[in-house]
Amino acid sequence: SIESSQLTKNPSTTTIGIYKNQTEIITISLKDELRDDAIDSLKQITKSKIKPYIISGDNQATVDEIAKKLNLDKDCTFGGVSPEQKNDFIAKHPEAIMVGDGANDAIALSNAFVGIAVHGSVDMSLRAADIYISKAGVRNLSDVILASQDTMSVIKRNLKFSLVYNV
């Protein structure tokens, strides 16, 4: 049997114990690490007037630790969130960009204004997303967001020129 619990020493680490006949055979500790490019990429995204949130199924202590490293406000971080709660959050923010990689993100990815599945995503997320970033790293995400903003600026500028020309 497999049991999961939180270490009291480090609440952001998930510990899984594997048991045979009620005797623990092995303990495995798991912890997510930020990608090297995450902090710089998030700075680029926030400069473009996008407010990032962390909405995760991970426990709140893990989310808080990551948010601290990323310099995110406490009110922008939500841990222990179910797939339905993620979707409810997206429904309340109709112009939201949802980024995810797990099966638990699929509903929100499909209902977001733009759903982005990232490298390593499960098949369900890939099918639900509008965009798939096939290269690893967070830099690619910020590149996609910034390129889309640049594209919209060009479209708006061209519409203005067209309007002036036609008048």
Side-chain angles (χ1 to χ4, degrees):
S1 72
I2 298 175
E3 295 182 16
S4 177
S5 64
Q6 296 299 320
L7 280 176
T8 54
K9 295 179 208 168
N10 189 346
S12 66
T13 302
T14 299
T15 301
I16 300 171
I18 300 177
Y19 295 80
K20 182 177 181 180
N21 299 329
Q22 309 300 321
T23 304
E24 186 172 20
I25 299 170
I26 191 169
T27 302
I28 302 169
S29 294
L30 305 171
K31 182 176 179 177
D32 287 329
E33 294 292 330
L34 285 179
R35 294 187 179 268
D36 294 336
D37 59 351
I39 295 170
D40 290 336
S41 296
L42 194 63
K43 284 179 186 177
Q44 291 295 323
I45 291 169
T46 55
K47 281 181 187 176
S48 65
K49 298 190 171 68
I50 292 177
K51 186 173 184 177
Y53 288 81
I54 297 176
I55 305 167
S56 175
D58 292 337
N59 66 55
Q60 189 64 48
T62 299
V63 172
D64 290 343
E65 184 177 309
I66 291 170
K68 185 177 178 180
K69 290 177 183 176
L70 294 172
N71 296 318
L72 287 180
D73 295 333
K74 182 89 167 142
D75 64 333
C76 296
T77 61
F78 303 93
V81 179
S82 71
E84 294 79 14
Q85 290 170 318
K86 288 180 184 184
N87 191 49
D88 290 344
F89 184 89
I90 292 299
K92 291 176 187 170
H93 300 85
E95 294 185 3
I97 299 169
M98 171 69 184
V99 180
D101 65 353
N104 60 348
D105 299 322
I107 298 170
L109 283 168
S110 67
N111 292 320
F113 184 68
V114 177
I116 302 175
V118 295
H119 179 75
S121 293
V122 299
D123 188 53
M124 188 179 288
S125 289
L126 295 175
R127 292 174 191 241
D130 301 305
I131 298 171
Y132 170 57
I133 299 176
S134 61
K135 294 181 182 176
V138 184
R139 170 71 55 211
N140 301 305
L141 174 62
S142 63
D143 290 346
V144 165
I145 291 171
L146 297 174
S148 68
Q149 289 179 330
D150 290 345
T151 301
M152 286 306 298
S153 295
V154 169
I155 290 170
K156 289 176 183 177
R157 183 190 68 212
N158 289 345
L159 283 172
K160 288 176 187 175
F161 286 144
S162 176
L163 182 63
V164 168
Y165 177 79
N166 288 320
V167 167

